[in-house]
Amino acid sequence: MATSKAAAYFEQFGNLEDLSPSQQRNAMAGFVSKGNIFVAQGQLPEALTAYQKSLAISERLAAMDPKNADWQRDLAVSYDRIGDVFQAQGNLEGALDAFRSGMGIIECLAAMDPKNADWQRELSVSHNKIGGVFQAQGNLEGALDVFRSGMEIIKLLAAMDPKNAQWQRDLSN
């Protein structure tokens, strides 16, 4: 709840661009928390608004330092949250656009650091999100192709560390 209070606090300033990057990132986290609460309450338009505010901050931070992997990841996650809301609202084209934007960022992170298992797993998750939209659109062949791509990543991760419960669970899905 503290991060929601932080979002409300930062909103009163109006121009978040005047804040330090760390303050902006805190405000972004506050908007994410607000969005998560709205999603839990079934208030999807309000969640979308909060996530869009988070996205705007993420875009600004990512543009300030394109080599900052954390800020790039924040941006990708912001797109995914918006995509999740769009998908829940039945806006499959909006969801697909958002998920593709997030996936593009994760693909870059994964390519820059191919040994980073977190980026690889997130890339697999991105494939699954896009596959889910294709499936909902009735594009079963496209969904199958994308799901297979995601599964190949998880197979490699699970083989690298058979004791990693998360990857083994991902493999079973």
Side-chain angles (χ1 to χ4, degrees), residues 63-136:
M64 283 176 21
D65 186 359
K67 295 188 187 300
N68 185 318
D70 289 334
W71 291 356
Q72 296 300 318
R73 182 188 178 278
D74 288 345
L75 180 57
V77 171
S78 291
Y79 280 120
D80 281 353
R81 285 188 177 101
I82 288 172
D84 289 338
V85 172
F86 280 150
Q87 188 168 15
Q89 291 176 323
N91 179 354
L92 298 179
E93 285 304 316
L96 190 57
D97 288 345
F99 290 148
R100 282 180 171 156
S101 294
M103 183 175 183
I105 295 164
I106 295 299
E107 284 176 328
C108 290
L109 291 171
M112 286 188 325
D113 188 0
K115 293 184 179 186
N116 185 319
D118 291 331
W119 299 148
Q120 298 302 319
R121 181 177 183 278
E122 287 195 33
L123 184 56
S124 175
V125 169
S126 291
H127 279 91
N128 289 337
K129 286 182 176 288
I130 290 171
V133 173
F134 283 163
Q135 185 176 13

Side-chain angles (χ1 to χ4, degrees), residues 4 7-8 11 29-39 47 50-51 53:
S4 293
E11 267 188 86
F31 290 122
V32 167
S33 292
K34 284 176 74 171
N36 292 346
I37 291 166
F38 286 134
V39 166
Y51 289 153
K53 289 179 181 183

